Amino acid sequence: MTTLTKNQKLINWVNEWATICQPDSVHWCDGSEEENDRLFDIMVKAGACVKLNDKKRPNSYAFNSDPSDVARVENRTFICSEKEEDAGPTNNWADPAEMKKTLLEKYKGCMKGRTMYIIPFSMGPLGSNIAKIGIEITDSAYVVTNMRIMTRMGKAVLDVLGDGDFIPCMHSVGAPLAAGQKDVAWPCAPIEQKYITHFPETKEIWSFGSGYGGNALLGKKCLALRIASVAAKEEGWLAEHMLILGITNPQGVKKYVAAAFPSACGKTNLAMLIPTIPGWKVETIGDDIAWMKFGKDGQLYAINPEAGFFGVAPYTSEHTNPNAMHSCDKDTIYTNVGLTPDGDIWWDEIGWDCPDGTIGWKGEKYTKGSDVQVAHPNARFTAKAENCPCIDPKWEDPAGVPISAILFGGRRPSTVPLVYQARDWNHGTFMGSIIGSEVTAAAIGLAAGVRRDPFAMLPFCGYNMGDYFGHWIKIGETATDKNKLPKIFNVNWFRKDESGRWLWPGFGDNSRVLAWVFDRCNGTADAVESPIGLLPKEDAINIEGLKMSANDMKELLKVDKKLWEAEVALIEEHFARFGNKLPKALANELATLKAKLA
Ligand code: GTP
Ligand code: SPV
Ligand code: MN
């Protein structure tokens, strides 16, 4: 059937699924330019996408999804471990045998009238011993073209795989075509028939019914986080929802920082920021996922398993994130943005007015003053990391980069200061375990308000979150040299005053906080003790050139005892969910916080 591989296990697996799904044809992706062009040609002709103005956006395309298929679907995402306890209180659990039975019914004939694509991909630099190879089966050409940007994809992966093992990733949009039936622009199944399922024991992924983002690009959240987190626990490393950046100070000293913020809370922006303080430089290793392992020298090293960015489009501009804007100058796939009459794209706060006649993501025409939603709030761009102007020279280094600091954060309009540092690893683990954030548009159907999103991994941890906390504690315990463990910080760019005004300018000015973090790691900045951890000394954060009152800064660094007592009650409630899975070390940290507040 193919000349691309002799891997019999792979060939058998593909044949089995072809028999079940009954596609019109099977195509093994070689990852070539010609193949990519051909797929886009087919999709343009079929009306699935529009080729953008080649003078403005070379080699770029715009897709609009079905209105039911605009983000991850957390209530349709399942961890199918043998025991329910192993999925834990934060995941939807389903019995693996029953789930497979249900899904096999759905997969039966689900690719009728379509092509089945076989996508060999590597998460991590090809051939690196830290990388993992997956094979995604899909009936979506959109998925193929996205995977070609987001991962190392194609024939070269099969060459490295040889007759070795791979992580099987099964995907269908779940919309078979009857003979003669015309396809729609974005085929998918209704919400209640979407299933994003993971089998941690057998390390398999089965996804059905959605074509969007993390539901369908299975290397990303499904493999590199949910399945990889299980492997990481078994093997003693960390698979995290974190950006990785390199920061260089005016003296030319460079350090690497990883940061976990919940979905749509600023990872891409921080990873690519342009410092507003003179002499500092930031470079990007990754914007969403970090795999971290100890090196022989006892230092924690991180790689970015991805090869592209699936970034939030709205509010990305020359002003907020020029490096992301220029990552999308060419070779980019846009999803759910507006299409302007001159063949360009538009989203809210892109930096110019929306031209009359722009077609919104739902096909409605925008004219000035109309209330047409031009871009969906979770509209995304898929862009190559290699096109990012500030990509770090080491971004593909299979050895990874040494991590000096880990940041946690979320959207907290009150209570949580701009920045504070953990006293030690366990306290830092506690910080990660209590991340809270206002809900964003990155997932469908969540109630508004602040929710706990521990380690920004709530939707992405492939096993019991209590055991995951324990794994973090254990990483600290087993570190051969505790002094080499990354220092841990919590940041909050999203503080507001009573009138709802942002207290902190954010974006490039977050470099002012990164500089303090850097200097803390360098041993050149002081800190003051507080009940919640170590705060910057007054005047330690450089605010030169900012239009900010001394009072605003005071407010940003304030630890309000009343608010923190209320926070403690919420943390107790949150921790209670984990029962006897909650590590003693975290219960101790909570007790210490209470005692310090008293
Ligand atoms: P995922 O890709 O969903 O994991 O999101 P992310 O964490 O990479 O978030 P991203 O950087 O795309 O930011 C999401 C939204 O937060 C965008 O609309 C940004 O404009 C906004 N944002 C990012 N950084 C800041 C900041 O420092 N201050 C403020 N006020 N908003 C920010
Ligand atoms: C997120 O939701 O955290 C994302 C987008 O990075 S998706 O790939 O759709 O999960
Ligand atoms: Mn993410």
Side-chain angles (χ1 to χ4, degrees), residues 479-498:
T480 49
D481 185 345
K482 311 275 185 267
N483 290 322
K484 286 186 176 167
L485 281 168
K487 308 248 183 298
I488 301 179
F489 300 80
N490 195 89
V491 297
N492 179 20
W493 318 137
F494 299 93
R495 277 293 294 276
K496 289 180 174 170
D497 69 6
E498 272 119 46

Side-chain angles (χ1 to χ4, degrees), residues 537-564:
K537 236 178 156 165
E538 218 174 297
D539 305 336
I541 306 266
N542 175 358
I543 54 166
E544 223 178 282
L546 284 185
K547 281 187 239 115
M548 234 176 90
S549 69
N551 215 37
D552 281 351
M553 200 60 212
K554 226 184 203 152
E555 190 58 35
L556 277 165
L557 293 177
K558 189 160 115 187
V559 178
D560 184 311
K561 276 200 180 188
K562 281 246 150 54
L563 289 176
W564 272 94

Side-chain angles (χ1 to χ4, degrees), residues 423-475:
R423 293 179 294 268
D424 53 30
W425 182 267
N426 280 4
H427 184 215
T429 301
F430 175 71
M431 268 181 186
S433 75
I434 63 167
I435 293 182
S437 192
E438 286 184 311
V439 162
T440 67
I444 294 172
L446 304 178
V450 170
R451 75 163 175 173
R452 295 291 144 186
D453 188 348
F455 294 82
M457 284 288 279
L458 184 73
F460 308 121
C461 183
Y463 60 101
N464 190 306
M465 184 67 80
D467 290 333
Y468 169 94
F469 294 163
H471 179 53
W472 264 78
I473 297 290
K474 196 168 150 201
I475 287 282

Side-chain angles (χ1 to χ4, degrees), residues 254 256 284-285 302-303 391-402:
K254 185 165 188 177
Y256 289 94
T284 310
I285 297 277
I303 69 151
I391 199 74
D392 192 278
K394 285 198 167 181
W395 84 277
E396 299 204 89
D397 189 336
V401 293

Side-chain angles (χ1 to χ4, degrees), residues 73-105:
V73 279
E74 294 187 7
N75 66 338
R76 306 300 308 158
T77 300
F78 299 88
I79 301 298
C80 307
S81 44
E82 292 293 338
K83 287 192 267 173
E84 180 166 6
E85 190 192 24
D86 290 333
T90 60
N91 282 312
N92 300 311
W93 176 81
D95 178 82
E98 270 171 42
M99 180 57 87
K100 285 194 169 174
K101 203 167 141 226
T102 305
L103 282 177
L104 276 173
E105 262 326 294

Side-chain angles (χ1 to χ4, degrees), residues 316-369:
T316 304
S317 71
E318 199 61 50
H319 170 65
T320 57
N321 193 351
N323 285 319
M325 284 306 276
H326 292 296
S327 303
C328 330
D329 279 343
K330 56 178 183 178
D331 312 328
T332 299
I333 298 172
Y334 297 91
T335 310
N336 288 346
V337 303
L339 180 67
T340 66
D342 59 349
D344 199 1
I345 44 84
W346 192 89
W347 54 71
D348 304 78
E349 299 301 323
I350 193 170
W352 52 86
D353 288 340
C354 185
D356 270 343
T358 295
I359 306 297
W361 74 279
K362 282 191 280 194
E364 300 161 306
K365 191 180 252 181
Y366 169 90
T367 47
K368 207 163 250 80

